[in-house]
Amino acid sequence: YLQSALETIRIITYHGKFVPPQLWQYVPYMYEIFNDWAIDYVVEFSGTLENMIQYDPRGFLEIHTKRNEEFGKSNLEMVLSMVETALENEEVQESEKTFAVVMLHILVQSCLGKIDPLIPSFVALSLKHLGNAEKTHYKVNLLALIESCIYYNPILAIRAIGENNLKPFFEVWFENIDAHYALAEQKIALCALCCFLKFSPSDLPAFINQIRPQILSKIVVLLKQIDAIKKNVESYKAEKEKEREKKKTRDENFINDYEDDDSDDEDVFGRNLPKDVPEDKDVVSSEGVENIKATQKKLNSLFGDSTEKDDKDDAAVLGGEYEFDDSEGTESYEGEVDDDVDSPLDIIDEFVYLQTCVAEAPPEAQQAFKDAAVPLPAEIKQALEFAFTEGQMRAASAPKR
């Protein structure tokens, strides 16, 4: 029942791109249940909270209930505590921990400018587990958490990493750039590296100024990776569309052939059809209805008190009725984290972002960019020139917000 309840909330928020305010009352209950007995459901908790945070970051940060007061924790503190618990637990697999870390990416990216005091905690959490990470995908997402913090505020993040840790951190980061396979991973890495280009040399530690050429090289690598994966996605979507059109045509031909058949009282297998079944009616037994009601009551009892609620109360908690189109794909809890999900970075064009970071930087930063490009190979310089030109073109043609 817990898994079903979390899945219901996840689907409501994903398809509606909206979080009814009443849903925030469940976060303290999630926190309590998770810590009491439900750590095995870390993947489900992470997916549900990720959607809630992304589609209503203001509600996540601002709404407090009596249960929040009882625990003495905000929603933000509860979520961070849940992730810390999951990462510390040796019985939780790294593949499951990855989902919890991804939730923190979304949290940081969704709450820009709102959570400054907690950025050091996120960086420290990532650094603590980065050295012991065995699976590459888990390691990449721990890196992506720090990348998200750099994107949030480069100076805060660098300070949290610590000047003595910058060299080993960048070594691990650059070693794993090619392992950023998912589009969201590649994009946050690119945005984080571009952020350094906004600053004059006097604003950054000496080590980062020394590696500016490597930063530019990695930016080019990521731009090529992102371009390749987007082309693959477009090709895949085009193939799927062709398949859908072919299936639609086959279905239409089948229906036409069936309607032309004179055997009105037989199905396509030659079996006699019953005479008394009304058309276009779904028949649900009274026993089935009772089972559905019992299930709904059980789900309601998991979050909040177990008192009986009438249908109007249940609708109020969920913020009204929802209809979903199951033909649309949703995130998968099995295997790797899906690329085909909404992300706060979806609205960012990578070429425009790079061009803007440099174009809007102070003169000293722009000169540092030019100086860093001097020792680079010709193909890297050409790629950067193309990226700037492309960024200007895309920015000029983009609709004004």
Side-chain angles (χ1 to χ4, degrees):
Y1 288 120
L2 173 62
Q3 189 172 11
S4 298
L6 293 171
E7 180 72 359
T8 299
I9 297 174
R10 189 183 70 85
I11 291 174
I12 288 172
T13 52
Y14 178 78
H15 286 275
K17 302 295 187 285
F18 167 75
V19 182
Q22 295 87 346
L23 282 185
W24 291 114
Q25 69 181 302
Y26 294 142
V27 174
Y29 293 100
M30 293 183 194
Y31 170 75
E32 182 178 22
I33 292 172
F34 181 85
N35 286 313
D36 283 351
W37 56 270
I39 194 170
D40 290 344
Y41 294 91
V42 60
V43 173
E44 289 80 3
F45 277 111
S46 299
T48 298
L49 288 168
E50 178 183 321
N51 281 1
M52 293 175 68
I53 292 166
Q54 179 175 341
Y55 299 125
D56 187 15
R58 182 176 178 179
F60 170 66
L61 295 175
E62 296 182 2
I63 293 178
H64 297 271
T65 66
K66 290 182 179 179
R67 294 288 286 171
N68 288 105
E69 295 175 3
E70 290 175 11
F71 287 111
K73 291 180 180 289
S74 65
N75 292 334
L76 177 58
E77 291 168 329
M78 288 181 174
V79 167
L80 180 55
S81 175
M82 291 168 70
V83 176
E84 289 173 338
T85 299
L87 299 194
E88 291 288 346
N89 193 308
E90 295 181 357
E91 295 183 2
V92 178
Q93 301 296 315
E94 287 191 351
S95 58
E96 297 171 322
K97 293 177 180 180
T98 299
F99 285 88
V101 177
V102 170
M103 175 180 62
L104 291 188
H105 304 175
I106 298 299
L107 192 162
V108 174
Q109 295 166 22
S110 300
C111 301
L112 297 179
K114 304 292 186 182
I115 55 172
D116 287 20
L118 282 176
I119 292 301
S121 298
F122 291 127
V123 173
L125 180 66
S126 179
L127 291 176
K128 180 179 180 180
H129 296 280
L130 191 57
N132 298 322
E134 296 179 358
K135 291 185 177 294
T136 301
H137 195 225
Y138 179 47
K139 182 182 293 185
V140 165
N141 277 282
L142 286 170
L143 287 168
L145 176 55
I146 298 181
E147 293 163 7
S148 297
C149 292
I150 294 172
Y151 171 68
Y152 177 97
N153 186 318
I155 302 301
L156 267 180
I158 291 169
R159 192 178 300 146
I161 294 171
E163 195 159 347
N164 293 333
N165 294 323
L166 285 176
K167 187 175 186 295
F169 168 72
F170 271 90
E171 287 176 352
V172 174
W173 189 8
F174 286 175
E175 285 172 3
N176 288 276
I177 283 291
D178 290 338
H180 286 59
Y181 297 125
L183 181 59
E185 296 164 4
Q186 294 169 354
K187 211 164 187 180
I188 188 57
L190 174 72
C191 289
L193 290 173
C194 288
C195 283
F196 295 124
L197 306 182
K198 301 177 181 180
F199 294 92
S200 303
S202 59
D203 296 324
L204 296 174
F207 175 77
I208 294 181
N209 289 319
Q210 292 171 9
I211 63 169
R212 279 180 183 264
Q214 291 97 307
I215 289 175
L216 294 182
S217 296
K218 295 303 180 183
I219 286 174
V220 170
V221 169
L222 287 165
L223 284 171
K224 290 180 178 179
Q225 289 178 344
I226 292 171
D227 185 58
I229 199 170
K230 283 188 172 181
K231 287 179 179 177
N232 288 338
V233 168
E234 289 302 318
S235 176
Y236 173 78
K237 288 182 177 179
E239 281 298 318
K240 295 297 287 185
E241 184 59 32
K242 287 181 182 178
E243 291 177 9
R244 278 194 289 268
E245 287 299 321
K246 287 181 181 179
K247 184 178 184 300
K248 181 180 178 182
T249 301
R250 288 197 302 268
D251 291 345
E252 289 175 349
N253 291 338
F254 177 84
I255 292 171
N256 291 336
D257 291 343
Y258 177 68
E259 288 178 346
D260 291 339
D261 194 337
D262 293 330
S263 303
D264 292 337
D265 295 335
E266 294 183 349
D267 66 9
V268 292
F269 300 105
R271 297 174 299 197
N272 291 329
L273 293 173
K275 303 289 185 181
D276 301 330
V277 177
E279 295 183 2
D280 300 326
K281 292 273 186 176
D282 290 329
V283 179
V284 181
S285 67
S286 59
E287 180 182 357
V289 172
E290 291 303 316
N291 286 340
I292 291 172
K293 289 182 177 180
T295 300
Q296 289 174 335
K297 289 180 180 179
K298 185 67 175 178
L299 294 177
N300 287 336
S301 70
L302 282 169
F303 296 129
D305 58 39
S306 57
T307 56
E308 295 290 333
K309 298 178 182 180
D310 60 24
D311 293 339
K312 292 182 180 179
D313 289 337
D314 291 337
V317 168
L318 295 176
E321 296 181 355
Y322 290 82
E323 294 182 0
F324 307 114
D325 179 4
D326 291 336
S327 65
E328 293 294 330
T330 58
E331 309 99 302
S332 171
Y333 281 151
E334 300 295 328
E336 294 186 357
V337 180
D338 274 359
D339 294 334
D340 191 22
V341 297
D342 294 336
S343 161
L345 299 181
D346 285 350
I347 62 172
I348 294 178
D349 182 286
E350 56 277 6
F351 289 98
V352 174
Y353 191 76
L354 169 61
Q355 188 269 337
T356 302
C357 283
V358 177
E360 296 182 356
E364 297 83 359
Q366 294 184 15
Q367 185 60 49
F369 172 82
K370 295 176 182 177
D371 294 341
V374 171
L376 295 176
E379 60 269 22
I380 299 295
K381 294 179 182 177
Q382 291 173 359
L384 287 170
E385 290 175 4
F386 169 81
F388 270 82
T389 303
E390 183 71 12
Q392 290 172 336
M393 291 174 56
R394 294 188 183 189
S397 61
K400 303 298 180 182
R401 292 185 177 274

